[in-house]
Coordinates of all heavy atoms in Angstrom, one line a residue:
I1 N -4.9 -3.7 -7.5 CA -4.8 -2.4 -8.0 C -5.3 -1.4 -6.9 O -4.6 -0.3 -6.7 CB -5.6 -2.2 -9.3 CG1 -5.0 -3.0 -10.5 CG2 -5.8 -0.7 -9.7 CD1 -5.9 -3.1 -11.7
L2 N -6.3 -1.7 -6.2 CA -6.9 -0.9 -5.2 C -6.1 -1.0 -3.9 O -6.1 -0.1 -3.0 CB -8.3 -1.3 -4.9 CG -9.3 -1.1 -6.0 CD1 -10.7 -1.6 -5.7 CD2 -9.3 0.4 -6.5
G3 N -5.2 -2.0 -3.8 CA -4.5 -2.3 -2.5 C -3.6 -1.2 -2.0 O -3.7 -0.9 -0.8
P4 N -2.8 -0.6 -2.8 CA -1.9 0.4 -2.3 C -2.6 1.6 -1.6 O -2.3 2.1 -0.6 CB -1.1 0.8 -3.5 CG -1.0 -0.4 -4.3 CD -2.3 -1.0 -4.2
A5 N -3.7 2.0 -2.3 CA -4.5 3.1 -1.7 C -5.1 2.8 -0.3 O -5.2 3.7 0.5 CB -5.6 3.5 -2.7
I6 N -5.4 1.5 -0.2 CA -6.1 1.1 1.1 C -5.0 0.9 2.2 O -5.2 1.4 3.3 CB -6.9 -0.2 0.9 CG1 -8.1 0.1 0.0 CG2 -7.3 -0.8 2.2 CD1 -8.9 -1.1 -0.4
I7 N -3.9 0.2 1.9 CA -3.0 -0.1 3.0 C -2.2 1.2 3.4 O -1.7 1.3 4.5 CB -2.0 -1.2 2.6 CG1 -1.1 -0.8 1.4 CG2 -2.8 -2.5 2.3 CD1 -0.1 -1.9 1.1
V8 N -2.0 2.1 2.4 CA -1.2 3.3 2.8 C -2.0 4.2 3.7 O -1.5 5.0 4.5 CB -0.7 4.0 1.5 CG1 -0.2 5.4 1.9 CG2 0.3 3.2 0.8
R9 N -3.3 4.1 3.6 CA -4.2 4.9 4.6 C -4.0 4.5 6.0 O -4.0 5.3 6.9 CB -5.7 4.7 4.2 CG -6.1 5.3 2.9 CD -7.6 5.0 2.7 NE -8.0 5.4 1.3 CZ -9.2 5.4 0.9 NH1 -10.2 4.9 1.7 NH2 -9.5 5.7 -0.3
Q10 N -3.8 3.2 6.2 CA -3.6 2.6 7.6 C -2.5 1.6 7.6 O -2.7 0.4 7.7 CB -4.9 2.0 8.0 CG -6.1 2.9 8.2 CD -7.4 2.2 8.5 OE1 -7.9 1.4 7.8 NE2 -7.9 2.5 9.7
P11 N -1.2 2.0 7.5 CA -0.1 1.1 7.4 C 0.0 0.2 8.7 O 0.4 -1.0 8.5 CB 1.1 2.0 7.3 CG 0.6 3.3 6.7 CD -0.8 3.4 7.3
A12 N -0.3 0.7 9.8 CA -0.2 -0.1 11.0 C -1.3 -1.2 11.0 O -1.1 -2.2 11.6 CB -0.4 0.8 12.3
R13 N -2.4 -0.9 10.4 CA -3.5 -1.9 10.3 C -3.2 -3.0 9.3 O -3.5 -4.1 9.4 CB -4.8 -1.2 10.0 CG -6.0 -2.1 10.1 CD -7.3 -1.5 9.7 NE -8.5 -2.2 10.1 CZ -9.6 -2.1 9.5 NH1 -9.8 -1.2 8.5 NH2 -10.7 -2.8 9.9
F14 N -2.5 -2.5 8.2 CA -2.1 -3.5 7.1 C -0.6 -3.3 6.8 O -0.2 -2.8 5.8 CB -2.9 -3.1 5.8 CG -4.4 -3.3 5.9 CD1 -5.2 -2.2 5.9 CD2 -4.9 -4.6 5.9 CE1 -6.6 -2.4 6.0 CE2 -6.3 -4.8 6.0 CZ -7.1 -3.7 6.0
P15 N 0.2 -3.8 7.8 CA 1.6 -3.6 7.6 C 2.2 -4.6 6.6 O 3.4 -4.4 6.2 CB 2.2 -3.9 9.0 CG 1.2 -4.9 9.6 CD -0.1 -4.4 9.1
R16 N 1.4 -5.6 6.1 CA 1.9 -6.6 5.2 C 0.9 -6.7 4.1 O -0.3 -6.7 4.3 CB 2.2 -7.9 5.8 CG 3.3 -7.8 6.9 CD 3.4 -9.1 7.7 NE 4.5 -9.1 8.6 CZ 4.4 -8.5 9.8 NH1 3.2 -8.0 10.2 NH2 5.4 -8.5 10.6
A17 N 1.4 -6.9 2.8 CA 0.4 -7.1 1.7 C 1.0 -8.0 0.7 O 2.3 -8.1 0.5 CB 0.2 -5.7 1.1
V18 N 0.1 -8.8 0.0 CA 0.5 -9.6 -1.1 C -0.4 -9.0 -2.3 O -1.6 -9.1 -2.3 CB 0.2 -11.1 -0.9 CG1 0.5 -11.9 -2.1 CG2 1.0 -11.6 0.3
L19 N 0.3 -8.5 -3.3 CA -0.4 -7.9 -4.4 C -0.2 -8.9 -5.6 O 1.0 -9.0 -6.1 CB 0.1 -6.5 -4.7 CG 0.0 -5.5 -3.6 CD1 0.5 -4.2 -4.0 CD2 -1.5 -5.4 -3.1
I20 N -1.2 -9.5 -6.1 CA -1.2 -10.5 -7.1 C -1.7 -10.0 -8.4 O -2.8 -9.6 -8.6 CB -2.0 -11.8 -6.7 CG1 -1.7 -12.3 -5.3 CG2 -1.9 -12.9 -7.7 CD1 -2.7 -13.2 -4.7
E21 N -0.8 -10.0 -9.4 CA -1.2 -9.5 -10.8 C -1.8 -8.2 -10.8 O -2.9 -8.0 -11.4 CB -2.1 -10.6 -11.4 CG -1.4 -11.8 -11.9 CD -0.6 -11.5 -13.1 OE1 -1.2 -11.2 -14.2 OE2 0.6 -11.5 -13.0
G22 N -1.1 -7.2 -10.1 CA -1.6 -5.8 -10.2 C -1.1 -5.0 -9.0 O -0.6 -5.6 -8.0
G23 N -1.2 -3.7 -9.2 CA -0.9 -2.8 -8.1 C 0.6 -2.3 -8.1 O 0.9 -1.3 -7.5
E24 N 1.4 -2.9 -8.9 CA 2.8 -2.4 -8.9 C 3.0 -1.0 -9.5 O 3.9 -0.3 -9.1 CB 3.7 -3.4 -9.7 CG 3.5 -3.5 -11.2 CD 2.3 -4.4 -11.6 OE1 1.7 -5.0 -10.7 OE2 2.0 -4.5 -12.8
D25 N 2.1 -0.7 -10.4 CA 2.2 0.6 -11.1 C 1.6 1.8 -10.2 O 1.6 2.9 -10.7 CB 1.6 0.6 -12.5 CG 0.1 0.2 -12.5 OD1 -0.4 -0.3 -11.4 OD2 -0.5 0.4 -13.5
R26 N 1.0 1.4 -9.1 CA 0.4 2.5 -8.3 C 1.3 3.1 -7.3 O 1.0 4.1 -6.6 CB -0.8 1.9 -7.5 CG -1.9 1.3 -8.5 CD -2.4 2.4 -9.4 NE -3.2 1.9 -10.4 CZ -4.6 2.1 -10.5 NH1 -5.2 2.8 -9.5 NH2 -5.2 1.7 -11.5
W27 N 2.5 2.5 -7.1 CA 3.5 3.0 -6.1 C 4.3 4.1 -6.7 O 4.7 4.1 -7.8 CB 4.4 1.8 -5.7 CG 3.7 0.8 -4.9 CD1 3.2 -0.4 -5.3 CD2 3.4 0.9 -3.5 NE1 2.6 -1.0 -4.3 CE2 2.7 -0.3 -3.1 CE3 3.7 1.9 -2.5 CZ2 2.3 -0.5 -1.8 CZ3 3.2 1.6 -1.2 CH2 2.5 0.5 -0.9
T28 N 4.5 5.1 -5.8 CA 5.4 6.2 -6.1 C 6.4 6.3 -4.9 O 6.2 5.8 -3.8 CB 4.6 7.6 -6.2 OG1 4.1 7.9 -4.9 CG2 3.6 7.5 -7.3
P29 N 7.5 7.0 -5.1 CA 8.4 7.2 -3.9 C 7.7 7.8 -2.7 O 8.0 7.4 -1.6 CB 9.5 8.1 -4.5 CG 9.5 7.8 -5.9 CD 8.1 7.5 -6.3
A30 N 6.8 8.8 -2.9 CA 6.1 9.4 -1.8 C 5.2 8.4 -1.1 O 5.1 8.4 0.1 CB 5.3 10.6 -2.3
L31 N 4.5 7.6 -1.9 CA 3.6 6.6 -1.4 C 4.3 5.6 -0.6 O 3.9 5.2 0.6 CB 2.7 6.0 -2.5 CG 1.4 5.4 -2.1 CD1 0.4 6.5 -1.6 CD2 0.8 4.7 -3.2
A32 N 5.4 5.1 -1.1 CA 6.3 4.1 -0.4 C 6.8 4.7 0.9 O 6.8 4.0 1.9 CB 7.4 3.7 -1.3
A33 N 7.2 6.0 0.9 CA 7.7 6.6 2.1 C 6.6 6.7 3.2 O 6.9 6.5 4.3 CB 8.3 8.0 1.7
K34 N 5.4 7.1 2.7 CA 4.3 7.2 3.6 C 4.0 5.9 4.3 O 3.7 5.7 5.5 CB 3.1 7.8 2.9 CG 1.9 8.0 3.8 CD 0.7 8.6 3.0 CE -0.5 8.9 3.9 NZ -1.6 9.4 3.2
Y35 N 4.0 4.8 3.5 CA 3.7 3.5 4.0 C 4.8 3.0 5.0 O 4.5 2.5 6.1 CB 3.7 2.5 2.8 CG 3.2 1.1 3.2 CD1 2.0 0.9 3.9 CD2 4.0 0.0 2.9 CE1 1.5 -0.4 4.2 CE2 3.5 -1.3 3.2 CZ 2.3 -1.5 3.9 OH 1.9 -2.8 4.2
A36 N 6.0 3.3 4.7 CA 7.1 3.0 5.6 C 7.0 3.8 6.9 O 7.1 3.2 8.0 CB 8.5 3.2 5.0
K37 N 6.7 5.0 6.8 CA 6.7 5.9 8.0 C 5.5 5.4 8.9 O 5.6 5.5 10.1 CB 6.5 7.3 7.6 CG 6.5 8.3 8.8 CD 6.4 9.8 8.2 CE 6.4 10.7 9.4 NZ 6.3 12.1 9.0
G38 N 4.4 5.0 8.3 CA 3.3 4.6 9.1 C 3.3 3.2 9.7 O 2.4 2.8 10.5
G39 N 4.3 2.4 9.3 CA 4.5 1.1 9.9 C 4.4 -0.1 8.9 O 4.5 -1.2 9.3

């Protein structure tokens, strides 16, 4: 659940993530775009 907020702050530091049983409802189009743009 906390994962998206952490990895989107530093996409180049966390370019890959495995979210197990949570976190899917934290994504928005803007957050996904920010993560992609940052790496």
